[in-house]
Amino acid sequence: MTYTYRYKSPLGGMTLASDGTYLTGLWFDGQKYFGSTLEKEYEEKELSIFEKTSRWLDIYFSGQEPEFTVPIRLTGTDFQKKVWEILCSIPYGQTMTYGEIAKRIAFKKGLQKMSAQAVGGAVGHNPFSLIIPCHRVVGADGNLTGYAGGIEKKAWLLELEKRG
């Protein structure tokens, strides 16, 4: 069974999903690919994983970097998981380009190069907004590009982290 919980963030509503033990998704309401890991039927319920995630979000939105992690269950292709792992390595308040991520993956695979567009596709399908910090990925020239939650949210989140 999949369970959901609603969280009110400064940027609007968010939906959390869980299998009862792990967080299985976290999305801004209405974002692109919203609910990508949700089963057709789910039930709203208060769970300890949602309490922990809400604490994490409260700390994050207060402008601080949470000092604990939320247990998540990743569902995706091997390529997506490699990209998401790199996203998790981007320090709070810093950014990385799609091209830099592509170069890291190419190096790990022993390839000459990797498509930054393929990386962008994996970044965009990240089912864990904020926890897997896809908002920290920028275009080659440092411009804000693509964010499933919307560019205005991406700009707000990066500004929040700069202040923190």
Side-chain angles (χ1 to χ4, degrees):
M1 175 60 112
T2 298
Y3 304 98
T4 61
Y5 179 82
R6 308 270 304 127
Y7 178 86
K8 291 181 182 178
S9 85
L11 294 174
M14 298 185 81
T15 298
L16 292 69
S18 173
D19 59 9
T21 305
Y22 296 94
L23 193 69
T24 57
L26 172 61
W27 307 272
F28 284 105
D29 293 348
Q31 80 172 51
K32 195 173 184 182
Y33 310 116
F34 175 87
S36 60
T37 62
L38 282 178
E39 294 178 15
K40 290 182 182 183
E41 292 188 26
Y42 49 88
E43 173 186 329
E44 256 191 64
K45 188 173 184 180
E46 291 191 26
L47 300 170
S48 61
I49 186 66
F50 293 147
E51 289 175 27
K52 186 171 188 170
T53 305
S54 292
R55 270 195 326 275
W56 191 98
L57 290 167
D58 289 344
I59 293 166
Y60 179 83
F61 283 119
S62 77
Q64 299 174 34
E65 181 178 10
E67 294 184 5
F68 63 94
T69 58
V70 174
I72 62 174
R73 177 157 304 183
L74 275 178
T75 303
T77 67
D78 287 342
F79 178 73
Q80 287 173 324
K81 289 177 182 178
K82 283 182 175 70
V83 170
W84 299 338
E85 182 181 316
I86 292 171
L87 296 182
C88 290
S89 75
I90 304 171
Y92 182 90
Q94 296 183 30
T95 60
M96 184 179 285
T97 68
Y98 295 94
E100 289 171 319
I101 295 169
K103 284 179 187 173
R104 283 189 182 192
I105 292 174
F107 179 77
K108 285 181 181 179
K109 289 185 156 201
L111 302 171
Q112 290 283 62
K113 61 182 179 175
M114 167 70 57
S115 164
Q117 285 181 316
V119 167
V123 169
H125 283 84
N126 166 27
F128 294 97
S129 293
L130 308 177
I131 290 176
I132 297 181
C134 54
H135 62 280
R136 296 181 189 151
V137 183
V138 298
D141 56 4
N143 284 336
L144 302 187
T145 60
Y147 184 62
I151 294 294
E152 65 287 338
K153 283 185 178 80
K154 184 174 192 166
W156 192 94
L157 294 167
L158 291 174
E159 187 58 36
L160 173 72
E161 291 186 12
K162 281 183 191 171
R163 291 191 310 256

